[in-house]
Amino acid sequence: MAPVPEDNAALREPGPDASDSSVAAGSLRLPLSPAGADRIRWVSVMATLVAAVALLVAQGTGYAATLGVTLALALAVAWGWPLLTGSWTPAATTVVLAVASVAIVLSALRQDLLWVPAAVAFGILLAFSGQLVRRTGREGLVLTLLSSFGGLVVVASGTTAVVAANSDRGQTVAVVAMAAVGAAVVTDLLVGVRGATPFLGFVALAAAVLAALVASRGSEVSTLEALGIGAAVGTVSWSFRRVLALQPAMLTVRGQVGAGAGSVLAVGALVHLFSVLT
């Protein structure tokens, strides 16, 4: 039986479409060491803050504003996610995610979210179709498809939070959640600090919970609920960026934008869950 060729993503050369204009020459130096990754990624920090504040304001404004901001963030993820997750055809994957993102987010026009699964299925079909017409071979096929599917999950999660704008409770939950996400970004400013690394998760948790408690004061969200929202949303959002910290594309603006916007949309399912709990 012939040996299976080694496909080590940390050692191989980028795919045929990886020569994206947003990647500076010599920026992808592999492997990226933990010491090199543990530094402040200012673009990622700003992208996360802008996305969280935009959704916070939009949720307080109404359904249409929330839908529009979510769509803008989904397109930002479509732009940065393929490079961040190592797609061998980042340009094609960006097109797939952009088209699918429009379908997924606009499916929330039906407020029972019944069309969301169909829109996600449409995105999966696009991802496979893109590989069927690919003329550069099938190298990196699985990694490219996983990149597409991961992006679809992030966009779908963010879309489920749109319906929170339908009710006063949902809007309050979303505001508390976005406050927690924004507060957890403080932890990103501590990376690289000697001795702080083992405690970053606790710092993110504490900052998110504190922000959630402050944001929930005088609202219909109880203190116990605020604790749960802050702990769940804040840590998930921070962990999302932390897991991606060693990705070579985090050396680029495009990758950092994808990580920042994605870390906000990824918690959408939690926002939806807490908004329907009574």
Side-chain angles (χ1 to χ4, degrees), residues 135-228:
R135 298 181 178 181
T136 56
R138 293 294 178 264
E139 195 171 11
L141 172 64
V142 174
L143 187 59
T144 300
L145 288 174
L146 288 176
S147 175
S148 297
F149 299 159
L152 293 174
V153 170
V154 172
V155 173
S157 178
T159 300
T160 61
V162 173
V163 296
N166 276 333
S167 63
D168 291 338
R169 173 180 169 79
Q171 290 179 340
T172 303
V173 168
V175 167
V176 170
M178 291 304 105
V181 168
V185 175
V186 173
T187 313
D188 293 21
L189 304 178
L190 299 178
V191 296
V193 176
R194 185 181 299 275
T197 301
F199 308 103
L200 291 180
F202 296 105
V203 174
L205 174 63
V209 167
L210 180 59
L213 289 174
V214 172
S216 67
R217 293 192 63 180
S219 70
E220 59 183 281
V221 174
S222 67
T223 299
L224 186 59
E225 288 174 325
L227 285 171

Side-chain angles (χ1 to χ4, degrees), residues 50-167:
V50 169
V53 171
L55 274 180
L56 186 151
V57 173
Q59 282 283 354
T61 302
Y63 199 90
T66 304
L67 192 72
V69 171
T70 301
L71 179 57
L73 294 180
L75 292 176
V77 170
W79 179 61
W81 186 259
L83 190 67
L84 186 66
T85 51
S87 170
W88 278 68
T89 57
T93 304
T94 291
V95 173
V96 167
L97 289 180
V99 174
S101 292
V102 173
I104 294 171
V105 176
L106 292 185
S107 70
L109 288 171
R110 177 162 177 159
Q111 299 178 11
D112 59 5
L113 299 178
L114 188 63
W115 290 346
V116 172
V120 174
F122 170 68
I124 294 174
L125 180 62
L126 281 180
F128 278 111
S129 298
Q131 294 305 306
L132 288 176
V133 300
R134 177 176 164 185
R135 298 181 178 181
T136 56
R138 293 294 178 264
E139 195 171 11
L141 172 64
V142 174
L143 187 59
T144 300
L145 288 174
L146 288 176
S147 175
S148 297
F149 299 159
L152 293 174
V153 170
V154 172
V155 173
S157 178
T159 300
T160 61
V162 173
V163 296
N166 276 333
S167 63

Side-chain angles (χ1 to χ4, degrees), residues 15-45:
D17 290 350
S19 56
D20 190 272
S21 59
S22 66
V23 183
S27 62
L28 301 182
R29 297 173 183 173
L30 302 177
L32 186 63
S33 70
D38 274 343
R39 64 188 187 204
I40 300 175
R41 305 295 184 190
W42 289 106
V43 175
S44 175
V45 169

Side-chain angles (χ1 to χ4, degrees), residues 90 108 134 272 276:
R134 177 176 164 185
H272 178 66
V276 298

